[in-house]
Amino acid sequence: MSKQTNEFKTRRTQFLKQLGKGVAVLPSAKPALRNPDVAYPPRQESNFFYLTGFSELNSCCLFAPMSKFPFQMFVEPKDPTKELWEGYIHGPEQAQSLFGADRAQASHPETFFDEAFVEAICEADSLYYRVGLDSRMDERIFGLLQRASKKLGRTGRPFWPIRDPLEILGEMRCIKSPAEIERMATAAKISADAHKLAMKLAKPGSWEYEIEALLFKEFRGHGAERVGYNSIVATGSNACVLHYSSNNQQCQNGDLLLIDAGAEYDYYSADITRTFPVNGQFSKPQREVYEAVLDVQKQCVDAVKPGATVHALQEMASELLLEHLLRMKVLKGTKKALLQENAQKKYYPHGIGHWLGMDVHDTGRYYVSRYDEYRPLKPGMVLTVEPGLYFSTGPARYKGIGIRIEDDVVVTSKGCKVLTSGVPKEVEEVEAACRLA
Ligand code: GLY
Ligand code: MN
Ligand code: MN
């Protein structure tokens, strides 16, 4: 069980309040099979964990603010045989005594949930349930709504509108509490130390998978449960593949190595990218590209403060990168015309960053209501700042160079705090970190 017990309760209170007269159903993650009888490592669904701290799969929560059991859990019943093979099961009793459920019952047979759901929805004006993730669950919920409708008889009222619980939870999760930021700082520190070690140990002849294994050992060795996403360890021109995942090539003398990797600690992820020369020294063209990306990255980090928007940061990064591309003679023409045609997009094809938290691409709106009303940053938001330049095509001088620099920043009342400042990013610091071996 996570240590945040009180925080889970506070979140549930807020969530129940915002549900109004609605009822919410939040299923846990389900076991995913990688072979007929071998499962992938389990990881609880983030919204479910955010509200419960409960990591067992095959569970479900029912939130019904108007019921005498506002927070109900449906969990695996105790089962000595299953526990012998797969480990401890808390069971319904402990779901109440340890996890704070107002009522807890077995998740199978399904009749316990079905009856509780029908009873709750008959009192409610709407259903908060994410449609489309699990077709079996969708069918079951739709069937239960029909059953509830019949039970109510001829009321003349329309069917329950179905809303996405992320309307509420996405926003709650987007603003991090001090306790969450503390966890994110730990994930960032573990990840930063691993990146520093990779700079030190990677050399010409290293294999991408060796470095991936090194990162994983550092993450796990410092208490992180898992990676926040598959590590990208991309040498040479592999760096131009944005979500490169093969990690099976050998670093050549003269290559840059791009590492995009972050640990997940107590359900919070870091997301760091650094790009460095495996032989310890940038070539002239590599340094030119690196300095351009670094300049833009630092200016964008400086611009993170309450009131700024992710959209404005992206516009800023695009314009600054375009200026560098003009100066480097990669693009020719007038800045105004090139900006209008988004010419920088060929070399900078992604966004400046994203919310970061329990999910690497975390929840929360980027827009206020319409897609052209951008949302101002507020203290407690955590986002990445990650400009890059990728020359899978382009002038011979830069061909094959792919560089991204990515930090995690938390918005504060006056500006922002960089959680990942432990990894070098200035040219001299990076070269020094690479030379230490
Ligand atoms: N690591 C994935 C990303 O940077 O968005
Ligand atoms: Mn990222
Ligand atoms: Mn990343």
Side-chain angles (χ1 to χ4, degrees), residues 229 232 243 260 271 273 354 360-361 386 404 406:
Y229 53 94
I232 298 169
H243 282 169
D260 183 344
D271 183 8
T273 308
H354 49 83
V360 62
H361 300 151
E386 50 176 309
R404 178 164 66 255
E406 176 174 28

Coordinates of all heavy atoms in Angstrom, one line a residue, residues 229 232 243 260 271 273 354 360-361 386 404 406, ligand 1:
Y229 N 8.0 4.6 -19.2 CA 7.7 4.3 -20.6 C 8.9 3.6 -21.2 O 10.0 3.6 -20.5 CB 7.4 5.6 -21.4 CG 8.5 6.6 -21.3 CD1 9.6 6.7 -22.2 CD2 8.6 7.5 -20.2 CE1 10.6 7.6 -22.0 CE2 9.6 8.4 -20.0 CZ 10.7 8.4 -20.9 OH 11.7 9.3 -20.7
I232 N 14.1 5.0 -24.7 CA 14.7 5.2 -26.0 C 16.2 5.4 -25.9 O 16.6 6.3 -25.2 CB 14.0 6.4 -26.7 CG1 12.5 6.3 -26.8 CG2 14.7 6.7 -28.0 CD1 11.8 7.6 -27.2
H243 N 10.1 7.9 -31.6 CA 9.8 6.8 -30.5 C 10.5 5.5 -30.9 O 10.0 4.5 -30.9 CB 8.3 6.6 -30.3 CG 7.7 7.7 -29.5 ND1 6.3 7.9 -29.4 CD2 8.2 8.7 -28.8 CE1 6.0 8.9 -28.6 NE2 7.2 9.5 -28.3
D260 N 16.2 8.8 -24.1 CA 14.9 9.4 -23.5 C 14.4 8.3 -22.6 O 13.9 7.3 -23.0 CB 14.0 9.7 -24.7 CG 12.7 10.3 -24.2 OD1 12.4 10.3 -23.0 OD2 11.9 10.8 -25.1
D271 N 10.6 12.0 -17.1 CA 10.7 11.9 -18.6 C 11.9 12.8 -19.0 O 11.7 14.1 -19.1 CB 9.4 12.4 -19.2 CG 9.4 12.3 -20.7 OD1 10.3 11.7 -21.3 OD2 8.4 12.7 -21.3
T273 N 15.3 13.6 -21.5 CA 16.1 13.3 -22.7 C 17.4 14.0 -22.6 O 17.4 15.2 -22.3 CB 15.4 13.6 -24.0 OG1 14.1 13.0 -24.0 CG2 16.2 13.1 -25.2
H354 N 4.5 18.2 -22.7 CA 3.2 17.7 -22.3 C 3.1 17.6 -20.8 O 4.1 17.7 -20.1 CB 3.0 16.2 -22.9 CG 4.2 15.4 -22.6 ND1 4.4 14.7 -21.5 CD2 5.3 15.1 -23.4 CE1 5.6 14.0 -21.5 NE2 6.2 14.3 -22.7
V360 N 3.1 9.2 -18.3 CA 4.1 10.1 -18.9 C 3.4 11.2 -19.7 O 3.9 12.3 -19.7 CB 5.1 9.2 -19.7 CG1 4.5 8.5 -20.9 CG2 6.2 10.2 -20.2
H361 N 2.4 10.9 -20.5 CA 1.6 11.9 -21.1 C 0.4 12.0 -20.2 O -0.6 11.3 -20.4 CB 1.3 11.5 -22.5 CG 2.5 11.3 -23.4 ND1 2.6 10.5 -24.5 CD2 3.7 11.9 -23.3 CE1 3.8 10.5 -25.0 NE2 4.5 11.4 -24.3
E386 N 10.8 20.1 -24.2 CA 11.6 19.1 -24.9 C 11.7 19.4 -26.4 O 11.3 18.7 -27.3 CB 11.1 17.7 -24.8 CG 9.6 17.5 -25.0 CD 9.2 16.1 -24.9 OE1 9.8 15.2 -25.5 OE2 8.2 15.8 -24.1
R404 N 17.6 15.9 -28.9 CA 16.5 16.4 -28.1 C 17.0 16.6 -26.7 O 17.8 15.8 -26.2 CB 15.3 15.4 -28.1 CG 14.1 15.8 -27.2 CD 12.8 15.0 -27.6 NE 12.9 13.6 -27.2 CZ 13.0 12.6 -28.1 NH1 13.1 12.9 -29.4 NH2 13.1 11.4 -27.7
E406 N 15.4 17.3 -22.9 CA 14.1 17.3 -22.2 C 14.2 17.4 -20.7 O 14.9 16.5 -20.1 CB 13.3 16.0 -22.6 CG 12.0 15.9 -21.9 CD 11.2 14.7 -22.4 OE1 11.8 13.7 -22.9 OE2 9.9 14.7 -22.3
Ligands
GLY1 N1 9.3 9.9 -23.6 C1 8.2 10.3 -24.5 C2 8.1 11.7 -24.6 O1 9.0 12.4 -24.4 O2 7.0 12.3 -24.8

